[in-house]
């Protein structure tokens, strides 16, 4: 009997694999007018190729093989169409909210959001209105952040960079940008408190784009656990702030968290704690990797191009000479950094900090 099952097992496994391959082929040949490409292996998709090759090589290889404009693949357990190049980006941005809407793969939502919201669309999860975000992020509001950002940057460089002969820019940039986000969004500045958020958040960002297999020891499993810890910590912060606002009527210098706690919808309803947490997580994800990556590449190019570094240094020193020893930067000082700004823009052009963004089609359309 044991020998029978020994011989039967390979045939059973083979039959399952063949069935999955047939199902996958049947789905791919459903007659829909889809972009060229491959969905990879059943259940796994092309996740392994994406991880092993890296985003840039993965995309370029398929652009050459299938189409330089758009190709299909399967990543993070989702069938995707990848729009490539400037024309693809232009099409997506011009048709945002017309043909497409914001979207996250289910695996990302599972790692980031409360389970109650895992099945919701990103539009439903993000309860902030565009007008409210515009109010928070408009230039007039951003001006007041400049001195704070300068003060935190000085402290960070003095403590983390100056004592070292050699530094690893990317992890230090992430440490700075996360601390800055915590301060600007929630007024959290205690280093230990920031660390309680940063450590599990790093697990989330490191694992949410991995193969979505929730088994002990996998990066995705660590991302889910990290996301739970981040949400628990955010709830503590939100509840403490709500109590502070109930005890005080002070309205000046409110950060993003306080404004979210006070905003109401058309029916006069306040956002609940989980909605606020989801929005803060979304902002942290959007600002964390991209900002630190941009800082890293700017410094990389400055190190590689000494003549560019010399011009940036000259411009910065001219601004520094016009200020007192402990005087912080202002919005007007930023406006004078024209050459530095051009360098930053060129670094962003050469090495975009974000590999792409997710969108969901809300209607059928033709492209390319």
């Amino acid at each position: 009997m044991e020998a029978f099952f020994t011989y039967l097992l390979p045939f059973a496994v083979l039959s399952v694999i063949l069935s999955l391959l047939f199902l996958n082929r049947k789905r791919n040949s459903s007659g829909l007018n889809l972009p060229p490409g491959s969905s990879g292996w059943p259940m796994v998709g092309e996740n392994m190729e994406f991880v092993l090759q890296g985003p840039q090589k993965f995309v370029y290889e398929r652009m050459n093989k299938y189409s330089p404009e758009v190709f299909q693949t399967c990543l993070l357990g989702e069938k995707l169409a990848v729009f490539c190049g400037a024309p693809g980006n232009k099409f997506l941005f011009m048709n945002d909210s017309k043909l497409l809407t914001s979207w996250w793969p289910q695996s990302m939502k599972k790692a980031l959001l409360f389970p109650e919201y895992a099945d919701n669309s990103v539009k439903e999860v993000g309860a902030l209105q565009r007008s409210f975000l515009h109010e928070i992020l408009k230039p007039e509001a951003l001006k007041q952040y400049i001195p704070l950002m300068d003060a935190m940057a000085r402290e960070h460089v003095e403590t983390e960079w100056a004592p070292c002969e050699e530094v690893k820019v990317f992890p230090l940039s992430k440490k700075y940008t996360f601390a800055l986000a915590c301060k600007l969004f929630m007024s959290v500045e205690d280093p230990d408190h920031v660390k309680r958020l940063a450590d599990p958040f790093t697990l989330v960002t490191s694992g949410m784009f991995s193969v979505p297999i929730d088994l002990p020891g996998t990066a995705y499993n660590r991302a889910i656990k990290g996301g739970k810890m981040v949400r628990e910590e955010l709830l503590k912060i939100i509840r403490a702030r709500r109590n502070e606002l109930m005890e005080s009527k002070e309205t000046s210098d409110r950060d993003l968290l306080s404004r979210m706690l006070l905003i109401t919808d058309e029916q006069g309803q306040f956002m609940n704690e989980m909605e606020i947490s989801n929005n803060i997580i979304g902002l942290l994800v959007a600002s964390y990797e991209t900002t630190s990556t941009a800082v890293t590449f700017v410094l990389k190019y400055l190190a590689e191009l000494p003549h560019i570094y010399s011009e940036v240094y000259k411009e910065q020193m001219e601004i520094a000479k016009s200020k007192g020893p402990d005087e912080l930067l202002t919005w007007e000082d930023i406006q004078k950094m024209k050459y530095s700004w051009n360098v930053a823009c060129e670094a962003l052009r050469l090495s975009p900090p974000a590999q792409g963004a997710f969108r969901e089609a809300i209607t059928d359309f033709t492209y390319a």
Side-chain angles (χ1 to χ4, degrees):
M1 183 64 70
E2 291 181 1
F4 173 75
F5 281 111
T6 301
Y7 286 108
L8 180 62
L9 182 60
F11 287 104
V13 173
L14 181 61
S15 64
V16 171
I17 293 175
L18 290 174
S19 298
L20 289 172
L21 287 172
F22 175 76
L23 177 62
N24 191 55
R25 183 177 180 182
K26 184 177 179 181
R27 287 177 176 173
N28 289 339
S29 58
S30 58
L32 297 175
N33 186 19
L34 299 176
S38 170
S39 56
W41 290 92
M43 301 178 67
V44 179
E46 293 195 297
N47 285 289
M48 296 304 297
E49 292 90 339
F50 184 83
V51 172
L52 294 174
Q53 295 178 348
Q56 190 169 4
K57 184 178 179 181
F58 178 87
V59 171
Y60 283 157
E61 183 178 283
R62 281 149 186 79
M63 288 175 66
N64 292 328
K65 183 176 181 180
Y66 298 117
S67 168
E69 298 174 323
V70 59
F71 64 86
Q72 67 164 301
T73 184
C74 181
L75 296 172
L76 304 176
E78 305 280 359
K79 293 287 186 69
L80 305 173
V82 181
F83 286 69
C84 310
N89 280 278
K90 181 179 179 181
F91 176 84
L92 294 178
F93 284 122
M94 289 184 64
N95 290 283
D96 203 22
S97 300
K98 299 176 184 177
L99 302 178
L100 309 107
T101 187
S102 298
W103 175 79
W104 283 351
Q106 187 69 18
S107 58
M108 283 183 61
K109 290 193 287 186
K110 184 178 179 181
L112 290 168
L113 306 178
F114 285 95
E116 294 86 341
Y117 290 83
D119 294 326
N120 291 25
S121 69
V122 174
K123 187 176 182 180
E124 293 171 321
V125 169
L128 290 180
Q129 300 295 323
R130 287 182 180 270
S131 58
F132 177 65
L133 275 176
H134 175 72
E135 184 69 22
I136 296 294
L137 301 176
K138 64 183 181 181
E140 290 76 11
L142 293 174
K143 289 179 182 179
Q144 63 180 320
Y145 302 147
I146 300 300
L148 172 62
M149 296 168 69
D150 184 27
M152 291 189 66
R154 292 186 187 191
E155 181 182 1
H156 175 76
V157 170
E158 289 173 2
T159 57
E160 303 287 349
W161 295 56
C164 306
E165 293 185 4
E166 182 177 315
V167 296
K168 292 184 177 181
V169 175
F170 189 48
L172 288 177
S173 296
K174 289 198 290 185
K175 185 175 182 179
Y176 166 69
T177 53
F178 190 81
L180 181 62
C182 288
K183 173 62 178 177
L184 294 179
F185 297 158
M186 302 174 288
S187 298
V188 173
E189 52 188 330
D190 177 65
D192 293 334
H193 201 172
V194 172
K195 192 175 188 303
R196 288 202 300 273
L197 280 168
D199 289 347
F201 192 79
T202 300
L203 295 177
V204 176
T205 56
S206 299
M208 67 182 182
F209 291 115
S210 62
V211 179
I213 298 177
D214 185 12
L215 293 175
T218 63
Y220 186 62
N221 179 262
R222 291 192 293 270
I224 291 176
K225 291 180 178 178
K228 183 179 179 181
M229 289 187 283
V230 169
R231 294 191 297 271
E232 290 174 351
E233 192 64 34
L234 284 177
L235 282 182
K236 294 177 184 177
I237 296 171
I238 293 167
R239 288 165 182 166
R241 179 64 60 81
R242 189 188 295 277
N243 292 334
E244 291 175 8
L245 291 174
M246 291 176 64
E247 296 172 0
S248 173
K249 300 297 182 181
E250 182 62 42
T251 59
S252 62
D253 298 327
R254 281 182 176 156
D255 57 21
L256 184 64
L257 174 56
S258 291
R259 297 194 184 195
M260 283 195 284
L261 282 165
L262 295 172
I263 193 174
T264 58
D265 59 19
E266 292 80 359
Q267 287 75 40
Q269 298 295 316
F270 291 98
M271 294 171 62
N272 66 50
E273 294 169 348
M274 288 187 289
E275 288 176 323
I276 294 173
S277 174
N278 287 335
N279 278 285
I280 291 177
I281 288 174
L283 291 170
L284 288 173
V285 170
S287 61
Y288 180 56
E289 291 279 352
T290 52
T291 306
S292 52
T293 300
V295 170
T296 301
F297 275 109
V298 168
L299 293 178
K300 171 185 179 293
Y301 288 123
L302 288 177
E304 293 175 347
L305 303 168
H307 62 291
I308 302 295
Y309 169 81
S310 177
E311 291 298 319
V312 171
Y313 180 80
K314 178 181 177 182
E315 183 177 72
Q316 294 296 317
M317 291 307 297
E318 288 176 356
I319 296 172
K321 290 175 183 177
S322 67
K323 307 184 72 65
D326 298 320
E327 189 179 355
L328 297 173
L329 291 173
T330 64
W331 180 260
E332 289 70 27
D333 296 321
I334 301 298
Q335 300 302 302
K336 298 175 184 177
M337 300 180 186
K338 299 186 183 301
Y339 188 85
S340 301
W341 176 248
N342 288 337
V343 169
C345 290
E346 183 65 5
L348 292 173
R349 185 188 70 83
L350 293 172
S351 302
Q355 298 294 337
F358 292 105
R359 293 291 185 270
E360 181 180 30
I362 54 181
T363 184
D364 291 341
F365 61 86
T366 301
Y367 175 78

